[in-house]
Amino acid sequence: MTSIRIVTEPRRRRKPAILAAAAILAIAGGSAAAFWLAGTEPTIAAPEPSSPAVPVEVATPAVTDVPVYLDGLGTVQANYTVNITTRVDGELQSVMFDEGQAVKKGDVLAIIDPRPFQAADDQAAAKIKQDQADLANAQYLLGKDQKLGQQQIVTQETVEQQQSMVASAQAQLAQDQAAKEAADVSLSYTEIRSPIDGRTGIRRVDPGNEVQTTDTTPIVTITQTQPITVISTLREDDLDAVRNALKAGPVDVTAMSMDQSQQLASGTLSLIDNVIDQASGTIRIKSIFQNKDDALWPGQFVTLRVKQQTLQKAVTIPSAALERGEDGFFVYIIDAAGTAAVRKVTPGPIENGRAVIEKGLTGNEQVVTSGQYRLDVGTHVSIQQAAAAQAASKE
């Protein structure tokens, strides 16, 4: 019987597994040692990042001539306002204008029935002819009597009586000529004419109605709108400034809408009232506007701007750059290093979003117009382009 010997083969992969386990233990031990060493050494702080620059918008001061204005509330008034009424009694026969029509001086507006006045005028003319005939006869008789008187055929008394008759006829002729002139005037009044250039309003009396010289209701009212007047008020403290401006020459004025969003018309200052209103502490002024486009209308409220003076070569900045502190007004400027600095300034008038700087700026600085609330002295800034400039550059 044959016996079979079984020999077990040694495991060849056992050794790599042991080596892997040993490596893992070594790594773990190294990590633990590093952790222990890190815990025993002082911690080194990481460097802090630098503060970010503050974005701001800037502008360069402009040197220009700046007009200075005084503002006041005003009311537009017509230079002339005429109530058209009749000057003779009679029937309003016809109306020759349209409501709201622009009329010229001398235009016929209405007609009163002229027939009674024409008859009176004709009668006066006939009476003059009769007087002229009587005067001619009296003068003929006077001449005849004077010749007879020289021949001593008639007495001197007769000659004198005839001279009296001639004088009486001359007086009667003069009287009737005056009556004829009166009749002519009355007849002319039957045509109602415009006394001024202006614009008609709403008709108050219709044709066919009887009108009387005693009527209080006008047929129509005409207002002159070219030129036109604005009566406005200023503070009494502005009186000297306005007087000085008038002494220097014609003073320009501008009529603006009440919200000052639209310029309506330009004119000149006419006069300053001769008394100050003690109740309100204001002075009234009168300005004249040609008003060719009828931009101003009687009764309209406007804001009147009086050009007091013009500042020559004034330094101006956007008014948004002005800040106010405990010590007065100041602006932030950007120095050569790109950091913010404070500059005290003395502001003057502010006009159209720009402020005049009387002291503090030379015109070469960069002033911050937006983003000031995040600034302090020494703050590093990043200059941004204004949104309006960006939009303009894209167009």
Side-chain angles (χ1 to χ4, degrees), residues 77-82 196-199 222-229 298:
Q77 296 183 3
N79 270 2
Y80 295 99
T81 300
V82 181
I196 61 171
D197 295 345
R199 187 176 298 276
I222 299 178
T223 57
Q224 187 186 72
T225 58
Q226 296 177 357
I228 204 166
T229 298

Side-chain angles (χ1 to χ4, degrees), residues 211-267:
V211 290
Q212 309 289 330
T213 57
T214 56
D215 290 344
T216 58
T217 301
I219 298 173
V220 71
T221 298
I222 299 178
T223 57
Q224 187 186 72
T225 58
Q226 296 177 357
I228 204 166
T229 298
V230 172
I231 303 297
S232 59
T233 57
L234 293 173
R235 300 178 308 146
E236 60 177 311
D237 295 341
D238 297 330
L239 177 59
D240 288 340
V242 178
R243 292 175 62 186
N244 292 335
L246 277 175
K247 291 178 182 178
V251 178
D252 295 333
V253 295
T254 304
M256 307 288 293
S257 59
M258 286 298 293
D259 59 1
Q260 299 191 28
S261 63
Q262 181 182 3
Q263 178 176 329
L264 302 177
S266 298

Side-chain angles (χ1 to χ4, degrees), residues 56-298:
V56 297
E57 295 177 5
V58 299
T60 302
V63 179
T64 184
D65 296 341
V66 178
V68 180
Y69 294 94
L70 299 173
D71 294 347
L73 297 179
T75 305
V76 180
Q77 296 183 3
N79 270 2
Y80 295 99
T81 300
V82 181
N83 291 323
I84 303 300
T85 57
T86 182
R87 301 177 71 175
V88 292
D89 298 342
E91 178 189 349
L92 181 60
Q93 196 171 66
S94 59
V95 172
M96 313 296 290
F97 65 90
D98 295 326
E99 295 175 313
Q101 175 186 344
V103 296
K104 297 292 184 181
K105 182 178 180 179
D107 288 352
V108 178
L109 301 177
I111 295 178
I112 308 298
D113 186 2
R115 292 173 296 177
F117 304 96
Q118 184 65 60
D121 187 71
D122 294 341
Q123 183 178 2
K127 187 66 172 64
I128 288 176
K129 291 181 178 180
Q130 180 183 350
D131 293 338
Q132 289 172 341
D134 292 341
L135 176 60
N137 182 60
Q139 289 174 336
Y140 169 75
L141 293 176
L142 175 62
K144 183 177 180 181
D145 288 342
Q146 287 174 337
K147 290 181 180 180
L148 293 175
Q150 292 174 356
Q151 299 174 5
Q152 296 182 351
I153 298 176
V154 296
T155 63
Q156 183 63 29
E157 181 181 0
T158 302
V159 174
E160 292 176 353
Q161 287 178 349
Q162 191 59 41
Q163 287 177 337
S164 176
M165 293 294 293
V166 171
S168 177
Q170 289 174 335
Q172 185 64 46
L173 176 60
Q175 179 180 353
D176 290 341
Q177 284 176 335
K180 173 66 166 61
E181 292 176 358
D184 289 341
V185 171
S186 296
L187 180 60
S188 69
Y189 286 162
T190 61
E191 288 186 349
I192 301 178
R193 296 178 179 272
S194 175
I196 61 171
D197 295 345
R199 187 176 298 276
T200 61
I202 298 174
R203 187 180 68 246
R204 306 288 295 278
V205 181
D206 296 328
N209 286 283
E210 289 288 329
V211 290
Q212 309 289 330
T213 57
T214 56
D215 290 344
T216 58
T217 301
I219 298 173
V220 71
T221 298
I222 299 178
T223 57
Q224 187 186 72
T225 58
Q226 296 177 357
I228 204 166
T229 298
V230 172
I231 303 297
S232 59
T233 57
L234 293 173
R235 300 178 308 146
E236 60 177 311
D237 295 341
D238 297 330
L239 177 59
D240 288 340
V242 178
R243 292 175 62 186
N244 292 335
L246 277 175
K247 291 178 182 178
V251 178
D252 295 333
V253 295
T254 304
M256 307 288 293
S257 59
M258 286 298 293
D259 59 1
Q260 299 191 28
S261 63
Q262 181 182 3
Q263 178 176 329
L264 302 177
S266 298
T268 55
L269 180 61
S270 175
L271 62 90
I272 306 173
D273 200 3
N274 58 358
V275 64
I276 295 176
D277 187 345
Q278 295 182 349
S280 60
T282 58
I283 185 75
R284 297 202 312 166
I285 61 175
K286 180 179 180 180
S287 304
I288 302 296
F289 297 81
Q290 293 305 312
N291 200 34
K292 294 299 184 181
D293 57 354
D294 285 330
L296 300 179
W297 208 254

